[in-house]
Amino acid sequence: MRLNLSSQIVLNKVPEEFYKPRTAVDRSEITRMEKIPTDIFPKIEEAVGSIVDVVVAEIQSRQREGRFCVLGLGTGTSLTPVYAELIRRHQEDGVSFRNVVVFNAYEFFPLSQDAPHSAFRQLCERFLDHVDIDRQNIFTPDGTIAQDSVQQYCQLYEQRIKTFGGIDLMLLGIGRIGNIAINEPGSGLTSSSRLMLIDATSREESTLSFGTNEPVPPCAITMGVQTILSARKIFLTAWGEEKADIIRKTVEGAITDTIPASFLQTHNDAHVVIDLAAAARLTRIVHPWLVTSLTWTDKLVRSALVWLCQKTGKPILKLTNKDYNENGLSELLALYGSAYNANIKIFNDLQHTITGWPGGKPDADDTYRPERAKPYPKRVVVFSPHPDDDVISMGGTIQRLVAQGHEVHVAYETSGNIAVGDEEVTRFMHFINGFNQLFGNSEDQVINNKYKEIKQFLASKKEGDSDTRDILTIKGLIRRGEARTASTFNHIPLERVHFLDLPFYESGKIEKLPMGEADVRIVQKLISEVKPHQIYVAGDLADPHGTHRKCTDAVLAAIDEEKRAGAEWLSDCRIWMYRGAWAEWEIENIEMCVPMSPEELRAKRNAILKHQSQMESAPFLGNDERLFWQRAEDRNRGTADLYDQLGLACYEAMEAFVEYKPL
């Protein structure tokens, strides 16, 4: 069973020569914008293997010389697969770590002796406890010391690193704001180990890394930028779309203390190792015509013309031969004969993505429509990771599908129970208690006892405490009720509303369980019963909490299993990926765009507002302060504005989709 198919979604179908150049000359050409050597891999596993090969070679080389190998190690999710592979090589290939000395890159401050948040504890759990390293060779900053002792302690930590001859190899992740270790924006090139206040975004990332609801301490003792740059070799890793922007700024931007990772440009042996998703904003991936000659595909031409329109401030049909020549796109003039021919081709391509009939227009010529006319009506399954992603991301399209007579099913993949505030539970418990006293048996001991038990727990609950199973159940019921209300508002019969409650989500913590076969089988059972002609699935792979990716992987794996089993219905099914909660599709990738009138956009907002627990008190809004309905409207209007700027039809708002073709 293939459980990680989302990692193989490469929307532009990036040619291999862009991320794996054949010769040194090719590499020099396509990486001309990159100021740090950067290796891009189509899969995380391949990237991890390349790093671990170097680490193991370094360790074994030092072993043969009878010397220590000194590693500086960060924590965080980017390095987790690297540590997992090092453990595998130790257990299966006999790689020894007896000559390894480890310096932990940072530790939170202040910490109590039994603090749940400890970077060193995380490093031990994810790596050190599973290999044969001598515990005397492991060093870490101490987050429990008195604050007035920190400066002296940091000086001693620096001295200890020098005692071992300095760091041979440093392994680092990168934060969304460009921090390395806990060197936040503003950290200087000459900074040494010190106490640092943690930025709010970094604290959120640390909370996700630990996978609990407990608050992260406000500060950290961290290796400084100068300390990190003193390492003889440095690897910086990043995976996923959410790191694409900061990787571009780090690798191609100017050296600046607002992005501490950019200081790696000054190192003579630093390497950035990333997957294709994290490389998505690098010039050689997103604008390859600026660095090399191309074999032009339709999507590359579309991408180039959209870029040229934005650069010149012109709509497509007003681009001239001069615009092409002055901006490095003369190859397209040779290919198409003139700017006019290229303009018309891409204008028509984009125009054909727009449709008011997302399920296909019956009895119409569908040659240039994104969806086929038949069969009609279609059976449609919309998969929603949380109980509100359907209306947030494609609420207008759902309303169109229902109004146009299609059989629409909505499948809520997770309960969403950890994203409900305690005050919502209190409000509903008050209602239940009052209802019982007014209309029921006020002496009902089951209700009375449970009410007292939950009230007492919430009154004594401390920040970071996990909820009881009863409270999680109530929170799940709240979200179910909201989802049913929104579905009814959209005229979807409740018998077509499915709550899958995938098991991976039910950890009661931010960090979820691994998505596995049990999750896939639940999804597979639904699609094999409905036999849909259309499936809509979340494409928000940059979701910082990871739930969307796991839910998408569950759906793609279920489709893959049906394909392997020879399911006939799948040959007449199209899979569309939506976005909206965290990002929007780039216009060059959009294959179907559904317009909305002002009234339809207002109806979409009203459906989102049915999810009352996710309004002002929603716990996981991320680093975007806008509420979800505001994000959705801004993105939908932004897509419509972009089409308008390119000289296409002008609408109030638009929802965009990309087709997924089963591998």
Side-chain angles (χ1 to χ4, degrees):
M1 184 176 286
R2 298 193 287 180
L3 299 176
N4 192 28
L5 289 171
S6 66
S7 65
Q8 299 182 40
I9 297 172
V10 182
L11 298 176
N12 286 319
K13 294 184 171 55
V14 179
E16 189 174 88
E17 58 265 27
F18 293 171
Y19 59 86
K20 191 185 290 185
R22 297 184 182 91
T23 67
V25 173
D26 290 342
R27 182 179 182 87
S28 175
E29 183 177 35
I30 68 169
T31 62
R32 67 176 70 172
M33 305 291 285
E34 297 166 18
K35 301 168 185 174
I36 308 174
T38 302
D39 293 321
I40 305 169
F41 294 85
K43 297 180 182 179
I44 293 176
E45 295 80 7
E46 294 178 25
V48 165
S50 73
I51 296 172
V52 171
D53 285 344
V54 174
V55 175
V56 169
E58 185 75 17
I59 291 171
Q60 293 179 338
S61 173
R62 295 297 177 116
Q63 283 174 346
R64 289 190 293 271
E65 298 169 0
R67 298 167 59 194
F68 285 120
C69 179
V70 183
L71 303 181
L73 301 181
T75 54
T77 54
S78 295
L79 291 171
T80 299
V82 177
Y83 296 146
E85 176 62 12
L86 285 169
I87 293 168
R88 189 196 68 77
R89 301 234 185 152
H90 169 67
Q91 294 175 344
E92 297 181 14
D93 301 340
V95 173
S96 175
F97 294 82
R98 294 295 296 176
N99 71 316
V100 171
V101 174
V102 164
F103 284 92
N104 183 20
Y106 66 89
E107 183 55 276
F108 296 106
F109 182 91
L111 291 178
S112 60
Q113 293 294 340
D114 58 348
H117 277 127
S118 165
F120 180 61
R121 180 181 298 178
Q122 186 181 51
L123 185 59
C124 289
E125 291 173 351
R126 297 186 178 181
F127 176 45
L128 300 177
D129 287 349
H130 305 281
V131 296
D132 63 341
I133 187 169
D134 189 334
R135 305 300 290 189
Q136 295 183 31
N137 292 340
I138 299 173
F139 302 96
T140 180
D142 185 354
T144 67
I145 62 174
Q147 185 167 346
D148 57 7
S149 302
V150 169
Q151 185 175 356
Q152 182 181 6
Y153 183 89
C154 289
Q155 293 172 352
L156 292 172
Y157 198 63
E158 293 273 348
Q159 185 58 48
R160 181 161 284 163
I161 293 173
K162 293 175 182 175
T163 299
F164 281 93
I167 295 170
D168 295 308
L169 198 154
M170 191 88 202
L171 297 181
L172 296 169
I174 182 172
R176 294 202 303 269
I177 55 175
N179 53 296
I180 46 177
I182 306 292
N183 289 285
E184 304 288 317
S187 297
L189 179 63
T190 59
S191 59
S192 59
S193 297
R194 67 205 185 284
L195 185 64
M196 191 86 192
L197 184 67
I198 305 177
D199 178 271
T201 302
S202 298
R203 291 187 73 191
E204 181 193 1
E205 285 188 290
S206 296
T207 301
L208 293 174
S209 177
F210 280 99
T212 69
N213 302 319
E214 290 138 0
V216 173
C219 301
I221 299 173
T222 181
M223 284 186 186
V225 174
Q226 186 179 59
T227 314
I228 290 170
L229 294 178
S230 69
R232 281 176 273 279
K233 184 186 290 289
I234 301 172
F235 281 110
L236 181 77
T237 65
W239 324 119
E241 293 179 12
E242 66 269 23
K243 295 295 177 69
D245 281 332
I246 197 62
I247 284 294
R248 177 185 60 80
K249 293 173 183 176
T250 296
V251 171
E252 295 186 351
I255 297 174
T256 170
D257 62 8
T258 61
I259 301 174
S262 67
F263 289 127
L264 294 180
Q265 294 179 23
T266 67
H267 197 276
N268 62 7
D269 199 4
H271 302 266
V272 172
V273 180
I274 52 181
D275 64 354
L276 268 172
R281 296 282 181 259
L282 292 180
T283 299
R284 61 165 142 157
I285 301 298
V286 71
H287 300 139
W289 55 86
L290 295 177
V291 293
T292 188
S293 296
L294 301 175
T295 300
W296 288 94
T297 64
D298 285 349
K299 276 198 172 181
L300 276 174
V301 175
R302 188 199 291 190
S303 179
L305 261 66
V306 170
W307 169 81
L308 185 57
C309 288
Q310 292 172 330
K311 189 170 176 60
T312 60
K314 293 181 177 182
I316 293 174
L317 296 180
K318 287 190 176 182
L319 294 173
T320 65
N321 288 356
K322 183 181 179 183
D323 294 324
Y324 281 70
N325 283 322
E326 289 183 349
N327 290 283
L329 292 175
S330 55
E331 285 185 3
L332 288 180
L333 296 179
L335 183 65
Y336 284 92
S338 69
Y340 176 82
N341 292 336
N343 295 348
I344 286 292
K345 166 70 167 63
I346 299 308
F347 180 88
N348 287 336
D349 284 352
L350 286 169
Q351 188 71 43
H352 294 152
T353 65
I354 303 172
T355 180
W357 297 82
K361 188 173 184 178
D363 303 319
D365 180 4
D366 59 11
T367 304
Y368 297 110
R369 291 181 176 274
E371 253 296 354
R372 61 214 187 279
K374 296 180 179 179
Y376 176 82
K378 290 182 174 67
R379 293 185 299 275
V380 179
V381 176
V382 177
F383 283 98
S384 180
H386 300 97
D388 58 353
D389 289 309
D390 56 328
V391 288
I392 289 172
S393 299
M394 56 173 292
T397 302
I398 288 173
Q399 291 169 13
R400 283 283 180 98
L401 289 166
V402 172
Q404 291 166 1
H406 300 286
E407 180 187 312
V408 178
H409 297 252
V410 181
Y412 299 106
E413 294 173 86
T414 71
S415 66
N417 55 21
I418 71 162
V420 177
D422 292 342
E423 66 276 8
E424 293 293 320
V425 176
T426 301
R427 185 163 67 90
F428 276 87
M429 289 302 296
H430 284 328
F431 174 82
I432 292 169
N433 187 53
F435 185 93
N436 180 51
Q437 292 179 3
L438 289 171
F439 303 108
N441 177 8
S442 60
E443 301 301 320
D444 189 322
Q445 292 304 306
V446 174
I447 292 179
N448 291 338
N449 290 341
K450 188 61 65 178
Y451 176 78
K452 291 177 183 177
E453 176 188 322
I454 291 174
K455 185 178 179 181
Q456 183 176 5
F457 175 84
L458 292 177
S460 61
K461 182 180 177 182
K462 297 182 178 63
E463 187 177 7
D465 285 351
S466 296
D467 287 324
T468 64
R469 180 48 55 184
D470 285 340
I471 291 177
L472 287 172
T473 300
I474 293 171
K475 290 183 175 182
L477 286 173
I478 291 171
R479 299 211 67 179
R480 278 197 181 204
E482 293 170 343
R484 287 192 182 98
T485 302
S487 295
T488 301
F489 177 82
N490 285 329
H491 305 292
I492 299 172
L494 291 182
E495 62 267 20
R496 296 180 192 162
V497 177
H498 310 272
F499 296 96
L500 304 186
D501 289 338
L502 297 186
F504 84 83
Y505 187 85
E506 299 304 319
S507 66
K509 301 177 181 179
I510 295 174
E511 184 176 23
K512 305 308 174 195
L513 303 169
M515 192 278 291
E517 184 172 339
D519 304 287
V520 176
R521 295 303 180 201
I522 292 171
V523 175
Q524 187 179 358
K525 182 175 183 292
L526 175 64
I527 59 176
S528 65
E529 290 173 353
V530 176
K531 296 179 174 55
H533 303 105
Q534 277 189 332
I535 291 174
Y536 290 86
V537 63
D540 281 308
L541 305 184
D543 161 31
H545 305 102
T547 298
H548 282 218
R549 179 181 285 274
K550 288 187 177 182
C551 286
T552 297
D553 277 326
V555 176
L556 300 186
I559 292 168
D560 190 51
E561 289 295 296
E562 285 290 284
K563 182 179 178 181
R564 289 168 182 251
E568 293 183 6
W569 65 267
L570 195 54
S571 63
D572 197 25
C573 178
R574 289 190 184 176
I575 300 110
W576 293 100
M577 298 186 294
Y578 61 76
R579 284 185 172 179
W582 303 101
E584 187 53 277
W585 296 117
E586 302 81 4
I587 192 168
E588 61 266 23
N589 291 317
I590 294 173
E591 293 171 299
M592 180 166 71
C593 211
V594 180
M596 289 180 282
S597 67
E599 292 78 15
E600 288 170 322
L601 185 61
R602 190 157 50 247
K604 171 176 175 171
R605 180 199 299 182
N606 289 336
I608 297 172
L609 292 175
K610 302 301 180 187
H611 296 270
Q612 296 178 22
S613 70
Q614 300 305 292
M615 293 301 104
E616 296 291 345
S617 61
F620 299 118
L621 291 173
N623 61 345
D624 187 335
E625 294 182 356
R626 295 171 299 169
L627 299 174
F628 285 119
W629 69 267
Q630 294 170 317
R631 300 184 197 190
E633 290 193 7
D634 288 348
R635 290 190 177 115
N636 294 160
R637 285 195 174 106
T639 301
D641 286 344
L642 187 50
Y643 270 80
D644 183 27
Q645 291 164 19
L646 293 174
L648 294 135
C650 180
Y651 293 99
E652 177 71 12
M654 303 174 91
E655 291 176 337
F657 301 87
V658 170
E659 186 178 1
Y660 171 82
K661 292 180 171 62
L663 299 173

